[in-house]
Amino acid sequence: MKRLLLNKGFNSFLASLVSVICGLIIGLVIMFIFNPQGAWDGFIIMIQGGFSDSARGIGNVLYYATSFILIGLSVSFSFQTGVFNIGAIGQFTIGSFVTIYVAHHGTWLPAPIQWLVAIICGGIVGALWGIIPGVMKAYKNVNEVISCIMMNYIAMYLVNQLIYDSLYDNSLVGTRYVPTTSLMPRVGLDKIFPGSSVNLGFFIALLVSVLVYILLYKTTFGFELRACGFNPNAAHYAGVNEKRNIVLVMIIAGFLAGLGGGILHLSSISKYYKISEVFLNETNYAIPIALLANTHPIGVIASGIFISYITVGGTLMQGQGFPVETVDMITAVIIYFAAFSLVFKQFFTRITTLKFNKANKKRIQ
Amino acid sequence: GSKKKEDDAKKDDAKKDDAAEESSEEPASKDSEESSKGEVVLFVSAAGALDDRAFNSACWLGIQDFCGETGKTYAYYQPTEDTVEAQMVICDTAVKAGAKFIVISADQFKLSAVEMQESYPDVTFIIYDSIPTTAEGEEIIADNLKSILFKEQEVGFLAGYAAVQDGYTKLGFVGGMPVPAVVRFGYGFAKGVDRAAEDLNVDGVELMYSYFGNFEATPDNQARCASWYQNGTEVIFAAAGPAGASAFKAAEDNDGVVIGVDSDQSAESETVISSAMKDLRNLTYKALKEWDEGTFKGGVVETYGSAEGGVALPMETSKWKNFSQEDYDALYERLAKDEDGIASSIPSNTDYDDPSQIPLERTKITYVQ
Amino acid sequence: MRLEYVLEMRDITKVFPNIVANDRITLKVAEGEIHAILGENGAGKSTLMSVLFGIYNLDEGEIYVRGKKTLINNPNDANNLGIGMVHQHFKLVENFTVLENIILGVETAKYGVLRVNEARRKVLELSRKYGLEVELDSKVSEISVAMRQRVEILKMLYRDNDILILDEPTAVLTPQEIDELIKIMKDLAAEGKSIIFISHKLKEIKQVADRCTILRKGKYVDTVNVQDATLEDLSEMMVGRKVQLEVDKTEAIPGDVILKVENLCVKAKESKKLKVNNVSFELRRGEITCIAGVDNNGQSELVLAIAGMIDSTGTISLNGEDLSNSNVRFRNTHGISHIPEDRHKHGLVLDFDLASNFILQTYFNQRFQKNGFLKFNEINSYAEKLIQEYDVRSALGHESIVRDMSGGNQQKAILAREMDREHSMLIAVQPTRGLDVGAIEFIHKQLIKARDDGKAVLLVSLELDEVMDVSDRILVMYEGEIVADVLPKNVTFRELGLYMSGSKKGEEYEAIVAK
Amino acid sequence: MQTLLFILRQTLSFSIPLLIVALGGTFSVRSGITNIGLEGMMVMGALTSISFVRMTQDNISSQNQLLVAIIISIIAGMLISLLHAFASVNLKADQIISGQAINTFAPAFSVFVSRIIFGEQIIVFNNTFRIDEIPLLSKIPIIGDIFFKDTYITTYLGIIIYLISSFVLFKTRFGLRLRACGEYPQAPDSVGINVSKMRYIGVLISGALCGLGGLVYVVPNSTNFNSTVFGYGFLAMAVMIFGQWHPTKILFASLFFGLLMTFSSTYSGIPFLVSLGIPSNYYKILPYAMTLIILVFNVSSSKEPAAAGKPFEKGMR
Ligand SMILES: Nc1ncnc2c1ncn2[C@@H]1O[C@H](COP(=O)(O)OP(=O)(O)OP(=O)(O)O)[C@@H](O)[C@H]1O
Ligand SMILES: Nc1ncnc2c1ncn2[C@@H]1O[C@H](COP(=O)(O)OP(=O)(O)OP(=O)(O)O)[C@@H](O)[C@H]1O
Ligand SMILES: [Mg+2]
Ligand SMILES: [Mg+2]
């Protein structure tokens, strides 16, 4: 038991859990302040999340989690290696468009691989979008936060223009609906979770998270990357080519984000990219999910599903008179409590080592 | 035309009062425990917002008018994203929470509306600006659903004509984004400007035409409008929802004027000289009233233009210099009766790919892409 | 009676989570006295001073200043009592000017607006009076260590402090600079200021201090009159046993040339100045060559250039193979082992566990990976082997996070890693910095063992004692150039100091220049 | 001339909020606390002050009302920034976390609150804050036209804040101490300066300026507030980094960016550019692309205050 509590992973998990609980409690208080009658019912619906809408709800939790996980993973992965890929937003955007574009123009491909080609293309262009800030950081020492912000806006406006130029649909003010032949395979999930949009993409997200985990923690390449992340000077000393690695990290992170955008947009027959000058909604969650997961790739699965879970709950909560923004507020409070995780962790460590300390004190006296 | 409309409104008011009395006598519905969360429901799209100062706001006000009177509960729902699946989720949630009448205020629900009307035959729907259509392109309207469309081009036409008749020669149109309704406003405005120039023999009429690319009041939008005013544009017709505020602000700072959209926006800024109104609020109210009284008739598409009195300029609050009530009435009459094919000559959104293709006789149109 | 002491610390106890750093320590300092504190690494000297200066709050005990019992909760309280401190690690903001650093915290200001002229006048006056020469408008990052120290002393004087604490001020100075410092200290004492002087160099204490308080493992041992005690007495009291201060080693038997450096130049980052200026030398197998010199005279850059970590011009060849254009990885795998100067910045990934740190440069070897996947079993057993061999102590063995380990054990871990890697040459930069005598002894033994195994050893050290004791040959660097190439037996401390301060140049140097 | 004046004024209306917020961020970073919560803090400032304007618009004269609104926005920004300071200073947490939490929280909270108070998410207000002309000063040639005609108090605020910031950071005791805390907190700590307190103050100033920036962003540009500042907080962060945490460089960076934004949004008033037929999206891309390019060629590598983002523990070595 003590061993378990001292285990870093478990300790972080516990700390996150406490953050979540505290966040939910504060959220409930806010809800009570604004609408005392509906608060409790609304809250219950929210924390029942996907479960309060039968199988479909669960299916939708998994569906929304798919893109959340992938974009959160993009940010987490970069964080772990010492880069702050705030550009996941733009990579997701451009990846979405390219996937839709390829889906439309790739209908000559055999149907079973149309989706695959499309999302891979989305990922690749996302990766290209990541290269630019990566190269700028590695070789020109340009702060990646600023270059990524610029790349995000460029992606957004560029995609808007490319849509006008290529797949524009007058009545949708966006791309046309994606062709049905290139939708993500449902692999029977539509039978288990009828009415939801969950598809193979979810398993891809899981698989990719595990792959990223393995990459980071089990391979020599990951070893290098993490060394760069924790201490670039030491990595340099150890002969690691940290410049090349920064670029590679941005490529991989860009690919993950682009893939997320692609999968999202091939998930439903009525999906299309709507021209907009606000970033896609999913991108708002990239950093929160990464932070909530303590930037661990497996943690991202949990936090992605969690955010998705309460988002679904939040939609249903509208029935109790709470606007969808309530969920964002609660999410924010939960993230804030993640800041306490250091305190929580110390607390857990203290109670587990209390005995040891007592003994020690005695010895001193 | 406008008199007729005003009369309608008066009648409506009278009806409203009646209804209020009736409802106060009626006890609150018995099963209010379960269905207290919204018998009348508005669906807005994921991309939109309840307070868009346009469509959604107007529908919402209509619902509030009705529910305020009858004591029925109301609510609005927004899906997580604009897919059929997500829209069905909120539909199910709403019905589970007691929805009996659902107002759908966006074209984005086109596909899911097909499913909604079939899944819930006991629930009554109206959908604005759209006709339920399957993915294959087949239009299906069930008996419990009514589609309501507007001829925005006609009120755009009114605004454009009035502006030229009032003496403006340098005009501008900005839409939020080229969604069908906005495009109709714009094309109608262009045609109205040109027609007035022709009828009244005005020379040198110029029209700037553009879309912001968004519906938000951003500094960029303000700057764009300001640059037009700076460049000589006198009046801008802003069909851009909340982004209209950017035009108002630019007008305030550059001594220009604005024509508002959707509802009477005269209260929002001194610079609003008139507004191209659609009667959404009232139509929503009426549809609900009919439903309440059991006279609702579904399965149809209703289109509202000048002939139906569904569009108007609010002359009481308008600040025209030369364009009088008489001028307005005459123009409205011509439009409603389609004299000399005036109404049918106004292009709709599907007629041209972009505004520069509209054949205009005496107007120089500059389309800023 | 009490009044005769300007400062009295009685029964001071300070406990850190895992250690009692000060255990009922008493310290009495008289006015105008230079009072030394002597103790091994970790004896608790810095901690005691930190308590006095208000950085740590004491757990038990009392402090009397000028006979009055006082509570010192923060450096402000200390300052108000006239207590000033020069820390072992200088507390200077690198990109502030010297003047800004001096006035920080006690700025003269009118309505919050800085009035630097007044301050400048006062500092100049002090600087003249005590011979503390500084460049007031230079950034701290641009000045030498000795000058930084003068800045720190000026900081105290500027605050009109009359109880001055100097924590190991001589560790980084040349003998000449040390002499200057001693003179300054004596002047200050003559003026009536009391000075607490921390050092583990007995000779200095003998030279400058009036009395000396000795600490051992957090406990008070004794306070003695320095005049009455011999060096042997002092060292015995400090360590608790008779100590042999010299390093045991046999005569070196130099072999073939391993490393050959020719015309090596390294440019400074911002300016065009050369940090390393046309340096040439050779290293031989079976010899410990030491680069002596005052900090910041190009030693660090020279080493980084040899290791391939920064750009340089000139040629470097190892075992006859030209390395000039090869990268760090290539040099690592072709015979260079390197114990870096800053173990935290370069030597370790503090958030990795010990095992991972052991394979920092070798993770890609067939031994530790297969098809790109790490072989954890192999890595862990290798780690355990090193832990055994080099006696690296930590709470959780190879799973310990290195950040949680003590400095000495961190250094041992690096040593183990670099010694165990295949290499023909070992570079060790200040390998004993901040370590206790035991650890120092261990590291010196290992360096000698490497030499005896036939490696070429390049030791960079700032400590003259170490230079004289361990090396077989000494190169002195001054302003980027090698100014002397001497054997330890042919040179005195004094001479070395002259070389290091640039006031004397060796014959070899003249010869090189002539060439 | 008229056109030039127009471009100048528009540039100012883009640049001033960016300037104020970037300076705000600077105070925080200079004290050693990274602040990515600029966007959220702007929203809070705008929300509270615009709500105030809306509620009092019929009762108070407009310039007085604006003054009170300014104060309110500042206070609101400071209050929300306290959360960031607490997490970063007291809890020693990763400084990205609380900043991001504020960014997520503020817009949602704003929607929530506007709905409750005004019944709708968009707060419409009477925007009567423009000053047509300042007597006497407006008569000065050129300068009078640029700064003293058709102007907003907020423009002056921006300039005043710039002047004060450069002065405070580099000429005052407070500035010296603040910068020391961002560079090497051990130094001020050892001379008895309370690093935590200085960092709190740094973050609070940044909150104040961001809150104000939120108001300044809305006033010259709109007659309503819709719970968002459209990424201007992030742009301000970019301007801050671009300006290397130095007020004067930030001033130029924000003017540069503002000029590009002006160009990209007003080109449609320039017939020649319209006749080129380049889609407006490309003009919208322009400011961002130009900034990227400048960054690449900007050789002097930016030096962030050395201790920024690193929690500090008292007595740390
Ligand atoms: N902040 C701290 N937290 C925990 N332990 C500490 C802390 N500071 C010092 N120690 C421990 O207290 C003991 C005494 O340290 P101190 O720095 O006083 O030694 P010292 O006599 O100054 O040694 P040196 O010769 O290395 O300067 C050491 O074991 C050290 O590791
Ligand atoms: N990262 C490092 N790499 C190499 N040497 C280091 C490193 N950190 C500390 N040292 C050295 O270790 C020695 C002791 O460090 P430590 O932190 O224990 O000092 P201290 O005596 O407690 O300091 P202070 O007087 O400031 O309290 C110092 O001489 C320092 O130069
Ligand atoms: Mg120590
Ligand atoms: Mg010490």
Side-chain angles (χ1 to χ4, degrees), chain C residues 91-93 96 98-107 155 158-159, chain D residues 173-181 184-193:
Chain C
K91 307 278 185 184
L92 299 173
V93 182
F96 275 17
V98 167
L99 184 62
E100 284 171 335
N101 268 292
I102 291 175
I103 62 175
L104 185 66
V106 288
E107 307 85 350
K155 246 165 100 176
Y158 183 78
R159 286 161 171 74
Chain D
R173 173 164 58 193
F174 168 76
L176 188 73
R177 294 179 173 192
L178 188 85
R179 286 184 293 129
C181 291
Y184 187 59
Q186 287 87 335
D189 183 53
S190 75
V191 294
I193 293 169

Side-chain angles (χ1 to χ4, degrees), chain C residues 173-435:
Chain C
L173 302 182
T174 61
Q176 283 73 18
E177 285 165 343
I178 292 173
D179 287 347
E180 271 168 45
L181 179 67
I182 286 176
K183 183 175 169 297
I184 292 167
M185 282 164 57
K186 288 196 162 150
D187 287 351
L188 288 169
E191 281 218 343
K193 299 197 188 287
S194 310
I195 298 176
I196 302 174
F197 169 67
I198 298 178
S199 177
H200 19 209
K201 296 184 189 166
L202 304 171
K203 282 179 280 177
E204 286 163 13
I205 291 177
K206 231 14 211 162
Q207 238 180 312
V208 68
D210 301 315
R211 293 190 307 150
C212 175
T213 294
I214 297 121
L215 307 183
R216 189 162 70 225
K217 295 190 178 146
K219 292 208 166 65
Y220 174 78
V221 177
D222 199 359
T223 301
V224 296
N225 266 328
V226 172
Q227 298 310 320
D228 308 340
T230 63
L231 285 182
E232 285 70 29
D233 294 340
L234 289 176
S235 67
E236 195 179 334
M237 276 190 275
M238 166 163 91
V239 187
R241 61 179 156 94
K242 286 246 187 292
V243 267
Q244 159 106 47
L245 296 165
E246 276 99 66
V247 181
D248 252 348
K249 73 174 210 264
T250 56
E251 194 70 23
I253 316 160
D256 327 331
V257 173
I258 298 273
L259 179 83
K260 195 171 161 118
V261 173
E262 278 173 308
N263 306 326
L264 191 77
C265 293
V266 177
K267 276 209 193 93
K269 245 195 218 140
E270 315 258 275
S271 64
K272 284 194 197 74
K273 242 177 71 188
L274 287 175
K275 286 296 245 182
V276 175
N277 188 358
N278 211 21
V279 163
S280 307
F281 65 92
E282 287 174 356
L283 291 189
R284 288 168 185 282
R285 170 188 303 287
E287 186 180 51
I288 298 180
T289 308
C290 182
I291 297 190
V294 180
D295 200 7
N296 214 2
N297 270 291
Q299 307 96 310
S300 311
E301 287 79 6
L302 174 62
V303 167
L304 292 178
I306 294 174
M309 290 165 68
I310 55 175
D311 291 338
S312 61
T313 58
T315 55
I316 300 165
S317 55
L318 188 74
N319 299 317
E321 189 173 9
D322 185 13
L323 292 182
S324 313
N325 295 314
S326 51
N327 59 20
V328 182
R329 171 68 43 88
F330 185 88
R331 298 182 199 207
N332 273 346
T333 49
H334 287 75
I336 294 184
S337 266
H338 174 197
I339 298 172
E341 174 177 4
D342 189 328
R343 49 181 175 259
H344 289 171
K345 184 173 173 199
H346 287 125
L348 297 164
V349 179
L350 290 173
D351 297 290
F352 271 3
D353 60 13
L354 191 49
S356 298
N357 272 290
F358 279 143
I359 56 159
L360 206 55
Q361 301 112 317
T362 46
Y363 60 91
F364 50 85
N365 280 356
Q366 281 310 314
R367 179 170 176 197
F368 300 124
Q369 60 105 6
K370 195 175 168 193
N371 305 326
F373 286 88
L374 293 167
K375 295 197 257 181
F376 287 99
N377 289 337
E378 182 61 32
I379 292 168
N380 292 341
S381 60
Y382 174 67
E384 283 304 329
K385 185 198 110 182
L386 288 189
I387 289 172
Q388 291 296 320
E389 246 171 66
Y390 290 86
D391 188 31
V392 183
R393 293 183 199 167
S394 61
L396 303 169
H398 65 79
E399 286 179 18
S400 314
I401 298 301
V402 172
R403 188 181 289 284
D404 302 337
M405 290 168 46
S406 75
N409 282 299
Q410 289 176 348
Q411 188 71 353
K412 278 189 187 171
I414 296 177
L415 185 83
R417 179 181 74 205
E418 299 304 316
M419 297 280 290
D420 200 74
R421 268 173 51 207
E422 208 166 291
H423 63 285
S424 48
M425 160 183 178
L426 174 68
I427 309 176
V429 187
Q430 301 182 44
T432 57
R433 189 157 74 160
L435 301 188

Side-chain angles (χ1 to χ4, degrees), chain C residues 41-43 45-47 88-89 168 434, chain D residues 317:
Chain C
N41 287 123
K45 310 178 295 280
S46 296
T47 304
Q88 193 168 354
H89 314 274
E168 294 194 35
Chain D
R317 293 184 279 189

